[in-house]
Amino acid sequence: MPTFDIALLLSGQYHDWLVRGLVLSLQIAATTWVLAVPLAIVIALLRLAPVKALRAVGAAYVEGIRNVPLLAHLLFWYFGAPELLPEGLKQWLYAGNVEVVSAVVALTLYTAAYMAEDIRSGIRAIPVVQFEAARALGFGFLATMRRVILPQALRVTVPPLISQTLNLWKDTSIATVIGVAELMYQAAKVESATFRSAEAFAFATAAYLTVSLAVTGLAAWYHHRYPARTV
Amino acid sequence: MIELVQTYWVYFLIGQYPNGPLGGLALTVLLAALALVLALPLGVVLGLARISPFRAVRWPVTATVYVVRGVPLLMVIFWAYFFLPSVTGHKTDQFSTMLIALVLFDGVYLAEIVRAGILGIPKGQAECARSLGLGYWRTMRLVILPQALRHMLPSLVNQFVATIKETSLGYIIGLTEVSFIAAQINTQVFTRATEVYGLLALTYFVLCFGLSRVAHGLERRLTRRSPVRPASASPTLQSQQASA
Amino acid sequence: MIRFDQVNKWYGAYHALVDVTEHIAQGEVVVVCGPSGSGKSTLIRTLNRLEAIGSGTISINGEDIHRRGLDVNAFRSRIGFLFQQFNLFPHLTAIENCTLAPVHLRRLTPAAAREASMALLDRVGLAHKADAYPAELSGGQQQRVAIARALAMEPPLMLFDEPTSALDPEMVGEVLLVMRALAKDGMTMVCVTHEMGFAREVADRVLFMDHGKVLERATPEAFFNRPQHPRAQQFLSDIRTPFAQPA
């Protein structure tokens, strides 16, 4: 087996490919996160709404998304969904970066379903008397959530949300299946160009691990700095 | 959509069998079941190692767990795909590659479930077993693990659901599991992508949702049987909604 | 049979056992009592090495139980220990709880173990519940099965750590009856208990502990009627007239 050529990873064309892939992975993860969190809050509130029909919609969303693998979601949003769009919109989409858009849509919907469950658990952990006290003061459901419940639930919810962020980071790798040129795609591309699988995958492994450990470290710091305060 | 289903349902369910290797939904379920069955003993071993009193055992295993959990499953699959042939000497087929990757990946996740399960058994059980004179291994084997594994059953079913979804990544290395078959069908039919992938999603949904209901039922039965249940200090929205 | 020699134990800075020196003869029934936190549970748990000691020696039949090379598991299998929380194994039936240790440690055949355990369950009055799971048994029944389980290993010594404290009052009697029968059969017993009636009737000696020290040792008759140490007097008076506390 040829020796491990670290120079390959530090400069040159292949290094550039890998770095570009890493940057795209980070961008996709960040964009998805920014879109998924608000969506997750909406879904969580739907599932806790006093109206049964709204609760059913929320539950259907979560169960429908979570029981289908991310790969199938990506295949659907890349191959299937654009077909349904009106012609003008479809042309505009294909002219741009349809792979990345499909990936972000699929990832956002997928991640939001999981985050919604964590947020819902966080809200349900707040004693119901808090809710009752706010209602007694005259706040409606949404106002209660916004002013009283969610601020408290946040502290409980941050650790599982950080865990979901970790999952999101790792899930960006699956976008490779629809041709998104993120880190995993680039690593495979370097491998097929140079046959140096060890170097290419060492870079990718190190990149994934570094970000993962950084996120885990953030979780540990948060837990240390803001331990859960119970009454 | 009906003719689509009628034309391709056999191919979708079992691939090219018997004119070729097993594929489709059957392969998906078989791969997931086999992976979980093999990952469970690995998970127990790693879980025990994670709570071992010996640092020389605990640290390497903890490091391995952090590394495997810090990278995507696809990375583990690529490791297996590109490095197994040089380790074993000959080219490894896609099924074995996926199987080994899944066993390693799920084994590590199961290790955490096992560890939590063991730590959840009341301290008095181990104390009592040790008081009777049963050593560490006998205490684990006869008293702690039987109880822990029983409590873990819903988590194990949930892990089975997760593994079924993980098998979909076999698509990327050309394994003829159900997602790959759906893509093949799509290339043949070509203009009905939405329907094909919609049906794929529906199939996964029915299978996984069904299994998660089984897990839910198991969990309800288990908590009903055990007489000890911690009373919550104040009623939460959860208990309110449960009685509503 | 049992000898404590200047035994001390610390939990960090807290001195849990203070220069305990006692001797318990074979066949004796000793009750250890005292207020909460006096160290009585700690003391009994040092006897089967569930707790370690800081200094001093404990010997059983002349042998230092902390000597190097002692097989702890074999040592523990020769002592019966009863817990406040019974600690029956919930995944096994009553009889399986009893046969577990004999089959795996004394290498009895399952049939022989079952026969012996049935006899023991009969002795504690629960032969008809042999195939019941702990969840199906009341607290008193569980504790009696626990006694049968401990007896299955034929120990020369039995230790009881507040065996009736977790029981509803109407079930305390059935357990104490079994313990009394054991005492009459000549078993060496050390019991930590609040059941003063049991102490009076069955014990050969009472040890009173407070803050880790053994403050008084006397026959039950002497202890309950003429306590010497002021703390013992206070303790007994608190028990007898719980509502006569100063405002």
Side-chain angles (χ1 to χ4, degrees):
Chain A
M1 191 153 119
T3 50
F4 193 90
D5 183 9
I6 195 139
L8 198 68
L9 302 178
L10 298 176
S11 62
Q13 178 190 27
Y14 303 117
H15 163 82
D16 288 339
W17 288 0
L18 291 168
V19 170
R20 258 189 292 147
L22 175 59
V23 168
L24 185 57
S25 288
L26 287 167
Q27 286 172 330
I28 292 175
T31 312
T32 304
W33 198 92
V34 165
L35 295 172
V37 171
L39 178 59
I41 294 178
V42 168
I43 304 292
L45 291 179
L46 272 178
R47 289 205 70 172
L48 294 167
V51 178
K52 190 157 180 200
L54 292 176
R55 286 205 301 273
V57 168
Y61 178 90
V62 170
E63 291 300 327
I65 299 275
R66 291 200 323 177
N67 284 299
V68 177
L70 180 58
L71 187 113
H73 285 286
L74 283 162
L75 292 176
F76 178 84
W77 288 104
Y78 181 66
F79 291 113
E83 298 300 311
L84 300 174
L85 292 173
E87 200 55 44
L89 202 55
K90 206 199 304 191
Q91 296 296 358
W92 171 83
L93 188 63
Y94 277 112
N97 206 338
V98 61
E99 291 90 2
V100 174
V101 171
S102 306
V104 170
V105 170
L107 272 169
T108 301
L109 294 176
Y110 189 77
T111 308
Y114 284 90
M115 284 185 172
E117 284 303 278
D118 289 328
I119 294 174
R120 185 171 77 114
S121 297
I123 292 175
R124 284 170 77 177
I126 307 295
V128 75
V129 287
Q130 291 285 312
F131 193 76
E132 285 173 350
R135 296 307 294 265
L137 282 171
F139 286 114
F141 175 78
L142 282 176
T144 303
M145 281 295 167
R146 198 174 133 228
R147 298 199 178 284
V148 177
I149 304 295
L150 280 176
Q152 295 184 58
L154 197 68
R155 192 168 276 214
V156 178
T157 315
V158 167
L161 276 188
I162 290 183
S163 176
Q164 285 305 331
T165 308
L166 207 67
N167 287 337
L168 168 59
W169 167 241
K170 293 186 284 177
D171 285 341
T172 58
S173 63
I174 306 181
T176 193
V177 73
I178 56 173
V180 174
E182 46 69 59
L183 179 57
M184 198 65 88
Y185 182 96
Q186 298 287 25
K189 195 166 137 195
V190 169
E191 192 276 334
S192 61
T194 64
F195 292 103
R196 293 193 159 274
S197 44
E199 290 83 344
F201 293 130
F203 184 97
T205 303
Y208 281 114
L209 263 182
T210 309
V211 177
S212 295
L213 289 175
V215 174
T216 311
L218 182 70
W221 169 84
Y222 185 87
H223 186 75
H224 182 75
R225 181 82 167 76
Y226 301 104
R229 262 189 327 214
T230 45
V231 171
Chain B
M1 195 183 300
I2 307 292
E3 341 88 66
L4 196 66
V5 175
Q6 273 178 336
T7 325
Y8 290 105
W9 72 278
V10 177
Y11 184 49
F12 191 72
L13 283 181
I14 56 173
Q16 289 183 330
Y17 192 81
N19 301 318
L22 186 68
L25 193 59
L27 181 63
T28 293
V29 176
L30 180 67
L31 176 61
L34 196 56
L36 198 62
V37 161
L38 292 177
L40 190 55
L42 177 63
V44 171
V45 168
L46 291 177
L48 285 173
R50 285 273 270 142
I51 56 175
S52 164
F54 303 115
R55 258 183 304 176
V57 170
R58 216 171 53 227
W59 284 3
V61 171
T62 305
T64 310
V65 166
Y66 271 97
V67 168
V68 173
R69 282 171 56 140
V71 297
L73 172 57
L74 193 51
M75 190 87 253
V76 178
I77 294 173
F78 277 178
W79 289 346
Y81 191 68
F82 287 101
F83 297 121
L84 267 181
S86 44
V87 166
T88 58
H90 39 263
K91 192 171 185 322
T92 335
D93 67 303
Q94 290 108 330
F95 184 82
S96 310
T97 307
M98 269 308 280
L99 186 63
I100 290 175
L102 283 175
V103 168
L104 175 60
F105 195 74
D106 286 342
V108 163
Y109 273 87
L110 283 175
E112 293 304 285
I113 294 176
V114 167
R115 179 170 155 263
I118 290 176
L119 293 177
I121 302 295
K123 204 174 72 142
Q125 289 288 304
E127 273 192 350
C128 183
R130 299 306 296 271
S131 295
L132 281 171
L134 297 168
Y136 180 79
W137 289 112
R138 283 212 176 96
T139 302
M140 269 298 158
R141 186 165 62 91
L142 300 169
V143 176
I144 304 294
L145 280 178
Q147 295 184 56
L149 288 173
R150 225 159 270 199
H151 290 140
M152 277 162 46
L153 215 47
S155 297
L156 288 178
V157 177
N158 281 323
Q159 187 59 42
F160 184 48
V161 172
T163 309
I164 286 179
K165 294 192 292 176
E166 287 164 5
T167 59
S168 64
L169 293 186
Y171 174 109
I172 298 177
I173 58 170
L175 181 67
T176 56
E177 47 72 56
V178 71
S179 300
F180 189 86
I181 297 286
Q184 299 286 69
I185 296 174
N186 186 46
T187 53
Q188 288 185 29
V189 179
F190 207 63
T191 52
R192 323 260 296 274
T194 322
E195 291 170 48
V196 172
Y197 289 116
L199 280 169
L200 176 66
L202 186 65
T203 308
Y204 275 117
F205 175 79
V206 168
L207 182 59
C208 294
F209 186 69
L211 280 171
S212 67
R213 289 285 100 192
V214 168
H216 190 77
L218 270 174
E219 186 157 13
R220 294 248 315 270
R221 275 222 347 235
L222 276 174
T223 46
R224 229 185 298 144
R225 263 218 358 221
S226 63
V228 179
R229 204 166 354 160
S232 43
S234 50
T236 59
L237 266 174
Q238 183 162 356
S239 46
Q240 275 260 318
Q241 280 193 341
S243 54
Chain C
M1 188 199 193
I2 302 174
R3 189 178 292 275
F4 289 90
D5 206 347
Q6 295 290 312
V7 172
N8 283 282
K9 180 180 174 62
W10 291 267
Y11 283 117
Y14 177 66
H15 202 165
L17 293 175
V18 182
D19 287 333
V20 174
T21 302
E22 291 303 322
H23 176 234
I24 297 172
Q26 181 140 358
E28 247 197 311
V29 175
V30 174
V31 163
V32 184
C33 65
S36 286
S38 53
K40 37 191 213 298
S41 276
T42 312
L43 183 69
I44 204 180
R45 285 161 66 98
T46 58
L47 268 178
N48 77 338
R49 291 182 56 166
L50 276 179
E51 302 278 355
I53 58 175
S55 71
T57 43
I58 304 177
S59 21
I60 298 186
N61 286 332
E63 220 185 335
D64 179 359
I65 70 174
H66 291 99
R67 71 171 170 79
R68 280 186 166 286
L70 179 79
D71 181 352
V72 183
N73 295 323
F75 165 72
R76 285 194 180 128
S77 66
R78 309 268 304 132
I79 299 179
F81 198 98
L82 275 307
F83 293 85
Q84 187 175 350
Q85 298 298 333
F86 340 130
N87 284 329
L88 287 186
F89 304 133
H91 60 299
L92 302 175
T93 61
I95 190 125
E96 285 167 354
N97 263 274
C98 295
T99 58
L100 185 75
V103 165
H104 285 94
L105 296 174
R106 290 176 57 207
R107 305 203 166 275
L108 254 54
T109 63
R114 198 187 157 88
E115 206 183 310
S117 297
M118 276 303 284
L120 287 171
L121 283 174
D122 192 39
R123 197 168 152 192
V124 303
L126 287 171
H128 60 293
K129 291 281 190 182
D131 294 313
Y133 283 93
E136 301 161 20
L137 300 173
S138 73
Q141 291 171 328
Q142 287 187 53
Q143 192 63 294
R144 285 190 277 152
V145 172
I147 294 176
R149 176 177 62 177
L151 288 172
M153 291 299 283
E154 297 184 358
L157 165 68
M158 288 194 51
L159 308 173
F160 295 81
D161 188 359
E162 302 205 39
T164 57
S165 296
L167 294 175
D168 288 338
E170 67 267 20
M171 290 190 262
V172 169
E174 66 199 54
V175 175
L176 292 181
L177 275 173
V178 171
M179 287 167 70
R180 187 172 72 172
L182 279 177
K184 280 208 159 69
D185 288 338
M187 176 68 76
T188 314
M189 293 162 65
V190 183
C191 311
V192 172
T193 183
H194 296 299
E195 295 295 326
M196 297 300 131
F198 174 80
R200 289 179 116 114
E201 266 193 59
V202 183
D204 296 313
R205 259 197 307 150
V206 172
L207 298 180
F208 176 77
M209 285 185 74
D210 195 11
H211 290 106
K213 291 201 186 78
V214 178
L215 296 178
E216 192 158 334
R217 44 189 85 67
T219 63
E221 195 269 335
F223 180 74
F224 287 109
N225 294 323
R226 292 174 300 281
Q228 305 287 308
H229 197 283
R231 277 299 292 126
Q233 293 165 353
Q234 180 73 47
F235 177 70
L236 285 172
S237 128
D238 287 345
I239 288 184
R240 280 171 180 151
T241 50
F243 293 107
Q245 308 290 1

